[in-house]
C-alpha cells in the first residue's frame, strides 16, 4: 500500500511540474510500475507468506502494546487510589493533632486564668492581713490596758492559751 501511494505521489508531482510530453510518458511509466508491483506481489507465494507473517506480527505487537498500555493504566489508577488514601489519612492526622493542640491550649489558658485569679486573691489577702492584725492589736491593746505591741499581742495570746489549758487540767 505504501509503495502504491508513493508511486502515485511521484506520478502526480511529475504531472504538475514537468511539461506535457515528458510528463505523460513519466506518468504512464509510473502508473505501469504500480500495476507491475501489485502483480508481482500477488503472484509470488513467498511474498504472500511474508505479508501474512508480517500481519500476524503486527497483530501480536498491537496486542502487546494494548496490554502494556492497559497494565500501565491499571498501575497508575492503583497508585492514584493509594495516593488519595494516603492524603486522606494525612489530613485526618493533621485534624486530630490540631484538635488536640487546641484542647491543650484551652486547658492551659484556663489554668493560666485560675493561676492569675489565685495570685490576685493572694495579693488582696496579703494586703488585708496587716490591716486585720492592726485591728486585733488595737483591740487587745485597748482591752489589756498595757498598750499595743507585737510582743504583747503575742504574749497575750499565749497567756490566754496557757490559762485555758490550766483550767482544763483541773
Amino acid at each position: 500500500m505504501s509503495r502504491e501511494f508513493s508511486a502515485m505521489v511521484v506520478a502526480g508531482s511529475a504531472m504538475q511540474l514537468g511539461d506535457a510530453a515528458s510528463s505523460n510518458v513519466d506518468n504512464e511509466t509510473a502508473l505501469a510500475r504500480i500495476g507491475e508491483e501489485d502483480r508481482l506481489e500477488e503472484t509470488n507465494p513467498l511474498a504472500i507468506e511474508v505479508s501474512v507473517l508480517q500481519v500476524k506480527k503486527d497483530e501480536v505487537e498491537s496486542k502487546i502494546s494494548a496490554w502494556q498500555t492497559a497494565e500501565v493504566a491499571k498501575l497508575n489508577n492503583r497508585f492514584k487510589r493509594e495516593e488519595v488514601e494516603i492524603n486522606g489519612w494525612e489530613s485526618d492526622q493533621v485534624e486530630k493533632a490540631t484538635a488536640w493542640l487546641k484542647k491543650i491550649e484551652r486547658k492551659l489558658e484556663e489554668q493560666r486564668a485560675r493561676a492569675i485569679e489565685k495570685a490576685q486573691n493572694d495579693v488582696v489577702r496579703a494586703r488585708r492581713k496587716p490591716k486585720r492584725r492592726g485591728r486585733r492589736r488595737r483591740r487587745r491593746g485597748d482591752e489589756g490596758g498595757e498598750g499595743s505591741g507585737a510582743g504583747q499581742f503575742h504574749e497575750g495570746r499565749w497567756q490566754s492559751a496557757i490559762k485555758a489549758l490550766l483550767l482544763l487540767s483541773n
Side-chain angles (χ1 to χ4, degrees), residues 76-92:
N76 284 338
N77 289 336
R78 188 178 96 204
F79 290 140
K80 285 179 184 176
R81 281 193 309 270
E82 289 176 359
E83 186 177 357
V84 167
E85 288 178 17
I86 290 169
N87 289 340
W89 177 84
E90 185 179 354
S91 65
D92 286 346

Side-chain angles (χ1 to χ4, degrees), residues 136-150:
R136 284 184 196 157
R137 285 181 192 151
R138 277 183 252 135
R139 261 188 273 140
R140 291 199 190 252
D142 291 341
E143 293 172 3
E146 295 184 17
S148 65

Side-chain angles (χ1 to χ4, degrees), residues 94-104 106:
V94 167
E95 285 180 26
K96 286 179 184 177
T98 304
W100 179 78
L101 184 63
K102 286 182 181 178
K103 180 181 176 183
I104 296 297
R106 190 181 67 249

Side-chain angles (χ1 to χ4, degrees), residues 6 11 46 80 84 86 101 116-117 123 133 136 140 167:
S6 60
L46 292 176
K80 285 179 184 176
V84 167
I86 290 169
L101 184 63
I116 288 173
E117 185 179 353
V123 168
R133 283 186 181 171
R136 284 184 196 157
R140 291 199 190 252
L167 290 174

Side-chain angles (χ1 to χ4, degrees), residues 122-163:
D122 288 347
V123 168
V124 169
R125 272 190 239 118
R127 288 185 180 157
R128 286 184 192 161
K129 209 171 199 179
K131 291 179 185 176
R132 279 193 228 146
R133 283 186 181 171
R135 282 188 218 133
R136 284 184 196 157
R137 285 181 192 151
R138 277 183 252 135
R139 261 188 273 140
R140 291 199 190 252
D142 291 341
E143 293 172 3
E146 295 184 17
S148 65
Q152 186 180 4
F153 172 73
H154 187 66
E155 289 174 11
R157 193 167 150 199
W158 281 105
Q159 286 174 356
S160 62
I162 291 173
K163 287 180 188 177

